[in-house]
Amino acid sequence: MTKKRIVVKIGSNVLTRDDGKLDITRMSSLVDQTAWLYSHGFEVILVSSGAMACGRGEVKVSRRLDSVSQRQLYSALGQAKLINHYYDLFREYHLPVGQVLTMKENFNSRRAYLNQRSCMSVMLDNGVIPIVNENDTVSVTELMFTDNDELSGLIASMMGAEALVILSNIDGIYDGSPSDPASKVIRQVIPGNDISAYIQTGKSGFGRGGMVTKYNIARKVAEEGIRVIIANGKRDNILIDLVNRANETPHTEFVAVEANVSGIKKWLAHSDGFAKGQITISPRAIEALNSKNAVSLLPVGVIAVEGDFEEGDLVDILDEKQARIAVGRAAYNSVTARQLMGQHGQKPLVHYDYLYME
């Protein structure tokens, strides 16, 4: 029997108590539910926050630390403790776990991306549950994931998951303020529906992200053919109820687009911040790229080249107002791209197979 592959993201607010420390009872419950999923034909990849909560209180600092130093110290202490908790809890079900610590820059190159996919594939093939987290101890602030929501979306896309479940401390996206009793959870978001007007802009208590990040990631992942569910991880048996009693369980589901998206384009879709240069193109070139045909970006449609990039690097593709409309993998370096700019009869600067439209 082929197992159904899902990614479950467990947010900081799910695993953290009001005093900022780890909620081991909630963690144990989620492990029980994950083991149930595994026994019912699911392959589960956990993207788990909680290292900061684990590390906080493990050591008394002699002086006041800035936010970066706090994150590095508490994450270094807490990550070891967090994975040990998972190890002990899953061992009761005879399920082995493996730790995967990563950084946003590890997804920069296609080779590193495929290497991480290979690592997690061999774990899943051998019955090991990957537990993924950002390596906050060495991540550079400017290159960090917005939140583990962003990381979980990338993992779901990279691993070809059928579904991504984002567990937060609220039931989903509401049609008003969550604190207003009259507000209701939006149960389903159909492809093409824009519900951004309902998104609360505040950040969660212990996490770096918020509902804006969740919405943007969910929409992007659903467009790649992966179902996305936002639900309340503090509800008892939430994962089991989403399988057995979905109609009665509050959550927001982003319906997956029925599309066959290539692995290359999935990588490109999550490449924000990786571009080494910018290519500005003409309105006519934009019209061609937006047509229903498979069209590559030719040098004749390029009106400006910025940055210093090599063949194979990622480049942002901009309109004349400098708004990003696409990202792609350059077939030329920046020097050659400038030389061929505006010329007919040249091979594509970005081939269709390596082009992702925003």
Side-chain angles (χ1 to χ4, degrees), residues 36 239-246 248:
W36 182 92
L239 294 175
I240 297 173
D241 286 346
L242 286 171
V243 174
N244 288 337
R245 302 169 57 240
E248 306 163 38

Side-chain angles (χ1 to χ4, degrees), residues 9-240:
K9 183 263 179 174
I10 306 173
S12 298
N13 279 308
V14 176
L15 289 181
T16 307
R17 302 185 321 209
D18 292 340
D19 62 3
K21 295 182 180 179
L22 186 73
D23 187 342
I24 191 65
T25 302
R26 182 63 54 193
M27 184 180 186
S28 178
S29 171
L30 289 166
V31 167
D32 294 342
Q33 295 172 61
T34 303
W36 182 92
L37 289 173
Y38 189 87
S39 68
H40 285 75
F42 289 87
E43 276 184 343
V44 184
I45 300 171
L46 291 182
V47 178
S48 177
S49 303
M52 288 278 289
C54 274
R56 192 178 285 113
E58 285 297 300
V59 63
K60 292 184 178 180
V61 296
S62 56
R63 57 184 175 82
R64 186 177 180 84
L65 299 175
D66 59 46
S67 59
V68 174
S69 297
Q70 280 189 47
R71 188 184 72 241
Q72 290 176 321
L73 176 63
Y74 296 148
S75 294
L77 288 164
Q79 193 60 52
K81 188 175 179 182
L82 181 70
I83 198 65
N84 276 327
H85 279 312
Y86 275 123
Y87 174 84
D88 289 339
L89 291 168
F90 275 110
R91 187 170 57 177
E92 295 180 17
Y93 294 96
H94 306 287
L95 290 175
V97 300
Q99 183 179 50
V100 179
L101 293 178
T102 189
M103 299 182 294
K104 191 167 186 175
E105 61 194 270
N106 291 344
F107 295 89
N108 194 342
S109 76
R110 181 70 176 158
R111 177 180 293 180
Y113 178 89
L114 293 175
N115 188 48
Q116 291 185 92
R117 188 175 74 181
S118 176
C119 170
M120 278 186 262
S121 293
V122 75
M123 293 169 72
L124 292 170
D125 290 345
N126 287 277
V128 177
I129 296 175
I131 299 177
V132 189
N133 198 3
E134 183 170 13
N135 192 352
D136 285 343
T137 58
V138 294
S139 289
V140 180
T141 303
E142 302 82 52
L143 294 176
M144 292 179 70
F145 290 104
T146 305
D147 181 65
N148 269 350
D149 298 317
E150 184 183 0
L151 174 58
S152 67
L154 205 158
I155 296 296
S157 176
M158 181 177 75
M159 299 306 298
E162 291 185 20
L164 166 63
V165 180
I166 298 176
L167 296 181
S168 186
N169 61 342
I170 59 174
D171 289 329
I173 298 175
Y174 286 80
D175 60 6
S177 171
S179 59
D180 185 349
S183 298
K184 296 180 180 179
V185 173
I186 299 172
R187 296 300 300 259
Q188 198 173 67
V189 181
I190 304 297
N193 282 11
D194 183 3
I195 61 165
S196 56
Y198 299 116
I199 307 301
Q200 302 292 310
T201 57
K203 291 187 177 181
S204 56
F206 293 102
R208 291 199 303 269
M211 194 53 74
V212 172
T213 305
K214 290 174 176 60
Y215 171 66
N216 290 333
I217 292 298
R219 191 166 46 85
K220 180 181 289 187
V221 172
E223 287 172 357
E224 297 168 26
I226 300 170
R227 179 181 174 217
V228 183
I229 292 170
I230 299 175
N232 192 340
K234 287 187 175 289
R235 281 184 173 269
D236 293 339
N237 295 316
I238 183 64
L239 294 175
I240 297 173

